[in-house]
Amino acid sequence: MSLKPHRKSPRPWRRLAGVALVAASLPAWSQPAARAASAPAAPATTVAAALATDPNVVGWMQGFPPPPDKLITHVPGGNKFPRNRWLFSHVRELVPTASVWRGPGPASTLPRAEQAIGAIPFTDADGTRRTFDEMLALTYTDGILVMHKGTVIYERYFGALDSHTPHIAMSVTKSFVGTLAAMLAAEGKLDPAAPVTRYLPEMAGTAYGDATVRQVMDMTIGVRYSEDYADPKAEVWDYARAGGMLARPANYNGPGTFYDFLKTLQKDGGHDAAFAYKTVNAEVLAWIVRRASGQPLAKLLSERIWQPMGAEQDAYFTVDSIGTESGGGGLNTTLRDLARFGETIRGNGRFNGKQIIPASVVADIRRGGSRELFARSGSAAALPGWSYRDMWWVSHDSHGMFQAAGIHGQRIYIDPQAELTIVRYASHPVAGNGANNAITFRAFRAVAEALAR
Amino acid sequence: MSLKPHRKSPRPWRRLAGVALVAASLPAWSQPAARAASAPAAPATTVAAALATDPNVVGWMQGFPPPPDKLITHVPGGNKFPRNRWLFSHVRELVPTASVWRGPGPASTLPRAEQAIGAIPFTDADGTRRTFDEMLALTYTDGILVMHKGTVIYERYFGALDSHTPHIAMSVTKSFVGTLAAMLAAEGKLDPAAPVTRYLPEMAGTAYGDATVRQVMDMTIGVRYSEDYADPKAEVWDYARAGGMLARPANYNGPGTFYDFLKTLQKDGGHDAAFAYKTVNAEVLAWIVRRASGQPLAKLLSERIWQPMGAEQDAYFTVDSIGTESGGGGLNTTLRDLARFGETIRGNGRFNGKQIIPASVVADIRRGGSRELFARSGSAAALPGWSYRDMWWVSHDSHGMFQAAGIHGQRIYIDPQAELTIVRYASHPVAGNGANNAITFRAFRAVAEALAR
């Protein structure tokens, strides 16, 4: 393992003066990030708030046993902020999980040349001047790793996270599932044009009974399912209870597994009417991927990606009561291995000296999905001009930026033009990324612009 | 990682003829193993029964979802034979766990020179002639690894286990806890002569209120707690429910954590009256070890043993509802890493070019505990002349053999005179090792004798 943390002595960033000029002369952006400011505003967050909720400062789960007011257990209602600041790096200690084995070989080398990009300035949505480092606290970052031209230039950990501990990726998981599906399609093992029922006959009487695999992959399914994390009655919580991600009330008699929950889903409008971001599509796709490959998701991910890319640590999926991985949000990885995956995608599928993912798969992701259907979605206001393809978010901006994103700030941000991959794990108080996108996109873009000089 | 499986082409065992002679001339043993035949007899087990219950043959948990009659879930009543044949290699998929990190370095090298010891014959307790390979099926072995003079001479996996998957070690876990306690004692961080209450004031009103740490380490505690796995009312099941190892009935209002359960334990006779094998002692010792070291068991094991010995894979502990590791039986490791630990102990604490465990600790284990107190215990009939020290079983036989043992056949068997370490994971139908000891000890001793020629 060649990657060593250099937390103590980053070299001064060599183009700092130039960056200041760049930032000072930033035009009013036409990038989606700028317009994302019109999305629901984040609650007031400050650097002090992030520091005060550092799980090591709070003292969650310290002592044998921890004091009652510092306990975090698997309880109904979940573990909201600030408990999530500890939880997201300790998921396996609360729920059953399946290992994604890294394989027998050595970890792949991540070249390193630290640059002090933390000082790169940008202007926040409200006009405040910020630095990249300030962004880290303001987005409740647990860890961030920046790679430029294949070299690690910045890596930091906070709170409960360190370089070898897996953190929950939330919906970044979906992009792994979408990529695996696209890989199977490229091999002819999965037909995107086929009806879902070719792989899942059980879904005949559901919203998916007349849908194609492609519609699932690109989330243009008309299904009654709310992903509104602010609404306690949203179906996302039923899904979470079915999958064992939320503890169940004593009188619970709902679906006991992901599969049983998926079979309850009913139509809401037609397919291909609009993009509609719904986690259940990722679970349906994960199910299709298992049937098409004959393998559990954890084993498939190990064999197809984790082992070939030379992951440094095993990853893991949370599983439901019958051992089914959550393909919608249950993957947990180290930040370094998330970076390896991001670099594999940025490298058109090539990494660690191997073509791990067919270049055609990455090209298809980068081309994106239907911008027209995306424009009709609830996501369009915050992300105008974007599309969604193979469970990746595609900006169609001047840099060709695309990303995997999960609630509370999880992110794989790939800027092909800047040859930049940024991976971040976070525990933001607000689930929806609307709360952090404005500052996240501005800070990441500022790094891209500065590095290009 | 230098250790590669050589399952297909073992070299003919070079002393096969000699072994046959050795076995043919075996005297009536005076070793405990021979007398263990007077312990409760195992139900009839046959090679065919083992093959028929191979989890891959049965098809547990195959398919998406698996058929209802092939499902294994975390249900009240546990998962008895033959489900345990799958479960013991998949524990983390049913319950929460804490990782024992292997560290950033390379795995230590295990030299390999395969020998076909499977053909070594021995005579079973009923006079039947058997081979070592037959023993594997008759003890429902999931994996076995034999090291002679520091070299792997034999390694086999069956059913659900392979070389990189952790298997539950059951009470072999206790020997890890005992070793860690002895290490802390050697460093002056834990005083065996001190009262338990110095570290655990909460235990003042319990069976342990007037006990010393040493009495816990050697299990000479008078505590009302039955370890009779055949009795559904034995307290071991209350302990399992408290720790979340068994699912709880809907109306459960018993202790919710290991700690809360331990605080209910009451005296039954005096201490130092007899050795009495009770899992709760290992949980109390694990608690003491956490308080004395200031670290969770998983982290302590990682830093003190797993990292220095160059483990090949992460291990893990099952944890209760507040994240407390089961020190009584919750450790899961690969067989290879169990072998590394066994070799560390056999090497008087030295392995991987380092003194990992003080030689004085291993010497203390090998000297054993009180044979007088052991003779007064329920364990003496099956293991006459033995003792128990630092949570290791010490035979005091002519080879100085000592072992760590867990229900259903888990084993670290160390024969210092033969320079032999055998580690085995198994899923025997019967929990108690009385059911497999007769054939296990005979087969292992036959290997020791044959190798010595």
Side-chain angles (χ1 to χ4, degrees):
Chain A
M1 317 231 175
S2 63
L3 188 61
K4 307 289 180 196
H6 289 233
R7 300 190 197 177
K8 303 301 181 191
S9 55
R11 288 182 285 123
W13 200 69
R14 58 191 157 78
R15 292 184 184 128
L16 204 53
V19 168
L21 282 175
V22 170
S25 61
L26 269 180
W29 257 12
S30 60
Q31 303 308 325
R35 299 198 203 147
S38 64
T45 55
T46 62
V47 171
L51 297 179
T53 57
D54 181 310
N56 297 329
V57 172
V58 177
W60 297 117
M61 299 298 278
Q62 302 298 313
F64 314 104
D69 64 334
K70 296 296 167 58
L71 264 180
I72 295 180
T73 62
H74 189 50
V75 291
N79 284 291
K80 297 194 172 65
F81 182 86
R83 290 167 185 251
N84 69 334
R85 305 219 67 196
W86 179 89
L87 176 66
F88 289 0
S89 300
H90 291 267
V91 168
R92 69 176 288 172
E93 294 164 35
L94 276 77
V95 296
T97 53
S99 178
V100 178
W101 188 41
R102 60 171 295 282
S108 56
T109 298
L110 292 182
R112 173 176 292 268
E114 182 98 4
Q115 297 187 37
I117 62 169
I120 293 178
F122 64 96
T123 303
D124 201 352
D126 64 1
T128 309
R129 294 278 288 169
R130 302 282 193 190
T131 64
F132 187 82
D133 273 349
E134 282 180 285
M135 175 276 297
L136 300 181
L138 293 170
T139 56
Y140 295 80
T141 293
D142 298 323
I144 192 159
L145 195 159
V146 180
M147 295 190 71
H148 183 227
K149 298 184 176 179
T151 295
V152 179
I153 63 169
Y154 192 83
E155 183 181 10
R156 293 291 185 281
Y157 297 95
F158 305 92
L161 193 61
D162 58 36
S163 66
H164 71 267
T165 298
H167 186 288
I168 191 160
M170 296 295 186
S171 294
V172 169
T173 308
K174 296 178 173 69
S175 305
F176 282 90
V177 174
T179 302
L180 289 168
M183 290 169 73
L184 293 174
E187 295 166 20
K189 292 183 178 164
L190 174 64
D191 181 3
V196 168
T197 53
R198 179 184 300 176
Y199 304 98
L200 310 178
E202 298 94 328
M203 295 297 279
T206 74
Y208 296 83
D210 59 351
T212 65
V213 173
R214 169 51 64 200
Q215 288 164 340
V216 179
M217 292 171 81
D218 293 353
M219 292 211 194
T220 58
I221 297 286
V223 56
R224 191 179 311 135
Y225 174 87
S226 165
E227 193 84 13
D228 181 359
Y229 291 94
D231 174 8
K233 293 196 173 175
E235 287 87 351
V236 65
W237 305 121
D238 297 329
Y239 154 74
R241 273 182 288 271
M245 296 176 292
L246 279 182
R248 301 165 184 171
N251 59 349
Y252 181 77
N253 60 0
T257 69
F258 286 134
Y259 296 142
D260 284 346
F261 175 75
L262 297 178
K263 289 188 284 185
T264 70
L265 292 167
Q266 293 303 311
K267 283 192 87 165
D268 183 15
H271 307 315
D272 272 348
F275 165 70
Y277 182 77
K278 301 191 175 189
T279 290
V280 285
N281 291 317
E283 296 295 359
V284 171
L285 188 60
W287 195 359
I288 292 170
V289 162
R290 289 182 198 104
R291 284 269 173 86
S293 67
Q295 291 190 300
L297 210 52
K299 192 167 186 193
L300 187 68
L301 180 57
S302 168
E303 293 186 359
R304 295 309 190 92
I305 296 177
W306 231 243
Q307 295 191 46
M309 80 178 187
E312 204 166 304
Q313 305 292 338
D314 297 341
Y316 65 83
F317 281 100
T318 60
V319 297
D320 71 4
S321 66
I322 62 166
T324 308
E325 309 94 337
S326 165
L331 183 63
N332 293 256
T333 80
T334 65
L335 198 60
R336 290 180 180 175
D337 290 331
L338 196 68
R340 285 180 171 89
F341 178 65
E343 281 288 285
T344 303
I345 296 289
R346 192 184 67 78
N348 300 310
R350 195 169 176 81
F351 186 77
N352 195 24
K354 305 179 187 81
Q355 191 70 37
I356 297 169
I357 299 166
S360 63
V361 167
V362 179
D364 185 64
I365 292 167
R366 288 182 59 176
R367 269 193 302 273
S370 166
R371 297 171 71 170
E372 185 187 341
L373 296 187
F374 194 95
R376 294 184 207 154
S377 77
S379 307
L383 303 170
W386 287 54
S387 72
Y388 193 80
R389 183 69 166 178
D390 299 334
M391 305 216 163
W392 287 82
W393 299 89
V394 184
S395 79
H396 301 284
D397 72 5
S398 62
H399 281 204
M401 185 273 282
F402 59 112
Q403 65 166 11
I407 54 171
H408 297 282
Q410 324 317 324
R411 202 70 57 111
I412 304 174
Y413 177 98
I414 300 173
D415 182 331
Q417 182 175 303
E419 298 174 79
L420 177 70
T421 297
I422 303 179
V423 289
R424 181 184 66 194
Y425 280 138
S427 45
H428 196 282
V430 180
N433 276 312
N436 75 73
N437 269 346
I439 188 167
T440 296
F441 284 140
R442 281 181 170 76
F444 289 7
R445 181 67 172 221
V447 171
E449 302 280 359
L451 291 169
R453 301 233 147 201
Chain B
M1 319 235 173
S2 62
L3 187 60
K4 306 291 179 196
H6 287 235
R7 299 190 199 177
K8 302 303 179 192
S9 56
R11 288 182 284 123
W13 199 67
R14 59 189 157 78
R15 293 182 186 132
L16 204 53
V19 167
L21 282 176
V22 169
S25 61
L26 269 181
W29 255 14
S30 59
Q31 304 308 326
R35 299 198 203 147
S38 63
T45 57
T46 63
V47 171
L51 296 178
T53 57
D54 181 310
N56 297 330
V57 172
V58 178
W60 296 118
M61 299 298 277
Q62 302 298 312
F64 314 105
D69 64 336
K70 296 297 166 58
L71 265 180
I72 295 179
T73 62
H74 190 49
V75 291
N79 283 292
K80 296 192 173 66
F81 182 85
R83 289 166 186 254
N84 69 333
R85 306 219 67 195
W86 179 89
L87 175 66
F88 289 0
S89 300
H90 291 267
V91 168
R92 69 177 289 171
E93 294 163 37
L94 277 77
V95 296
T97 54
S99 178
V100 178
W101 187 42
R102 60 171 296 282
S108 56
T109 298
L110 292 182
R112 171 176 293 268
E114 182 98 5
Q115 297 188 36
I117 62 169
I120 294 178
F122 65 96
T123 302
D124 202 352
D126 63 1
T128 309
R129 294 277 290 169
R130 302 283 194 189
T131 64
F132 186 82
D133 273 348
E134 282 180 282
M135 175 276 298
L136 299 181
L138 293 170
T139 55
Y140 295 81
T141 293
D142 299 323
I144 191 159
L145 197 159
V146 180
M147 295 190 72
H148 183 227
K149 297 184 177 178
T151 294
V152 178
I153 62 168
Y154 192 82
E155 183 181 11
R156 294 290 185 283
Y157 297 95
F158 306 92
L161 193 60
D162 58 35
S163 67
H164 70 267
T165 298
H167 185 289
I168 191 160
M170 297 294 186
S171 294
V172 170
T173 308
K174 295 177 175 70
S175 306
F176 283 90
V177 174
T179 303
L180 288 168
M183 289 168 73
L184 294 173
E187 295 167 19
K189 292 182 177 164
L190 174 63
D191 181 2
V196 169
T197 52
R198 178 185 297 175
Y199 305 97
L200 309 178
E202 298 93 330
M203 295 296 280
T206 74
Y208 296 83
D210 59 353
T212 66
V213 174
R214 169 50 65 197
Q215 288 164 339
V216 179
M217 293 171 82
D218 293 352
M219 294 214 193
T220 58
I221 297 286
V223 56
R224 192 179 312 137
Y225 175 87
S226 166
E227 193 83 13
D228 179 0
Y229 290 94
D231 175 8
K233 295 196 170 174
E235 287 88 350
V236 65
W237 304 121
D238 298 330
Y239 153 75
R241 274 182 287 271
M245 295 176 292
L246 278 183
R248 301 165 184 171
N251 60 349
Y252 182 78
N253 61 359
T257 69
F258 287 134
Y259 296 143
D260 283 347
F261 175 74
L262 297 178
K263 288 187 286 185
T264 70
L265 292 167
Q266 293 302 309
K267 283 192 86 164
D268 182 16
H271 307 315
D272 272 348
F275 165 69
Y277 182 77
K278 300 189 175 189
T279 290
V280 287
N281 291 317
E283 296 296 358
V284 170
L285 188 60
W287 195 358
I288 292 169
V289 161
R290 291 183 195 102
R291 285 269 172 85
S293 67
Q295 291 190 301
L297 209 51
K299 192 167 186 192
L300 187 67
L301 180 58
S302 168
E303 293 186 359
R304 295 309 190 92
I305 296 178
W306 232 243
Q307 295 190 47
M309 80 178 188
E312 204 166 305
Q313 305 292 338
D314 297 342
Y316 64 82
F317 281 99
T318 60
V319 298
D320 71 3
S321 65
I322 61 167
T324 306
E325 308 94 338
S326 166
L331 182 63
N332 293 255
T333 80
T334 65
L335 197 61
R336 290 179 180 176
D337 289 332
L338 197 67
R340 285 180 171 89
F341 178 65
E343 281 287 286
T344 303
I345 296 289
R346 192 183 66 79
N348 299 310
R350 194 168 176 83
F351 186 78
N352 196 24
K354 305 181 188 80
Q355 191 71 37
I356 296 169
I357 298 166
S360 63
V361 166
V362 179
D364 186 62
I365 291 168
R366 289 182 58 175
R367 268 194 303 273
S370 165
R371 297 171 70 171
E372 184 186 341
L373 296 187
F374 195 95
R376 293 184 209 156
S377 78
S379 306
L383 303 171
W386 287 54
S387 73
Y388 193 80
R389 182 68 165 180
D390 298 335
M391 305 214 164
W392 287 82
W393 300 88
V394 184
S395 78
H396 300 284
D397 72 5
S398 62
H399 282 204
M401 186 272 282
F402 59 112
Q403 66 167 9
I407 54 169
H408 297 282
Q410 324 316 324
R411 201 72 56 114
I412 304 174
Y413 177 98
I414 300 174
D415 181 331
Q417 182 175 302
E419 298 174 82
L420 176 71
T421 297
I422 303 179
V423 289
R424 181 184 66 195
Y425 279 139
S427 44
H428 196 283
V430 180
N433 276 311
N436 75 73
N437 269 347
I439 189 167
T440 297
F441 284 140
R442 280 181 171 76
F444 289 7
R445 181 67 171 222
V447 171
E449 303 279 2
L451 291 169
R453 302 222 152 208

